Amino acid sequence: MSTAKMFPAPKITTHVLQEMKLKKEKIAMLTAYDYSMARILDDAGIDVILVGDSASNVMAGNTTTLPITLDQMIYHATSVKRAVDRALVVVDLPFGTYQGNSKEALQSAIRIMKESGANAIKMEGGEEIIESVNRILSAGIPVMGHLGLTPQSIHKFGTYVVRATKDDEANKLIENAKLLEKAGCFSIVLEKIPAALAEKVANDVKIPIIGIGAGSAVDGQVLVLHDMLGITQDFSPRFLRRYHNLKEEMTGSVQAYIDDVKSKDFPNEREQY
Ligand code: KIV
């Protein structure tokens, strides 16, 4: 058993994240979708684990985040939560479960919290979803916002290029960040926007701003675990730092196993009964 499991550190809560912003201590967040990966992240000391709807791409092989269902998100979140002692676990509300109707949004959020034991939910959008955000917050469920490139709206944008490069979109994003803060969101993810704009938002609001492709002046960073470990390699945006080439290492291990089986080297005498 790891020391982290024997001597559990204080749990990361939304209040701890707020204090980290005040102390200018950066927040480290990564995605996870299953027990084994979540356990590694938690033992390593990650602050926030996002059960992202990027599971739709990474785990299920879809080309967008749109197809993943609420039941599938709950399955991923339950597996992750089982592994985690310390990190705050945030779960994406999937596309189609909150945009249309705030009562349905609340039901979706309640299902995630009740069935998975997660600590918070994340929702994409600003003004257009504020009624749903308000209803969920008033039920005592912590909400993380998500502005800038919002992958659930990919069919509206048409591309994954950097967002809010023009003044009108940048001003709208600032307005939306303030609106989400005023509503009571505990944090906001800013995805793929100019660094100067992200810095302005982080200075203008008191809640922690977590960036992905939003520069270094925000309060924390998030990456998709499979991208930063180099398991998935078909996605290489400029903002992604790869810490490993796990795809290559895993391919080598699988090939070595195949060779050992074919050559009858595996199993040897010590590996049998
Ligand atoms: O689903 C996800 O992984 C996300 C991150 C990219 C922030 O929303």
Side-chain angles (χ1 to χ4, degrees), residues 31 33 50 52-54 92 122 124 146 189 191 212 222 224:
T31 61
Y33 319 108
L50 172 66
D53 59 0
S54 50
D92 264 329
K122 175 163 85 58
E124 294 182 8
H146 184 156
V189 166
E191 181 165 354
I212 173 164
V222 57
V224 170

Side-chain angles (χ1 to χ4, degrees), residues 36-53:
S36 308
M37 293 288 184
R39 187 140 182 200
I40 293 170
L41 299 192
D42 198 47
D43 283 352
I46 200 77
D47 299 312
V48 184
I49 295 181
L50 172 66
V51 184
D53 59 0

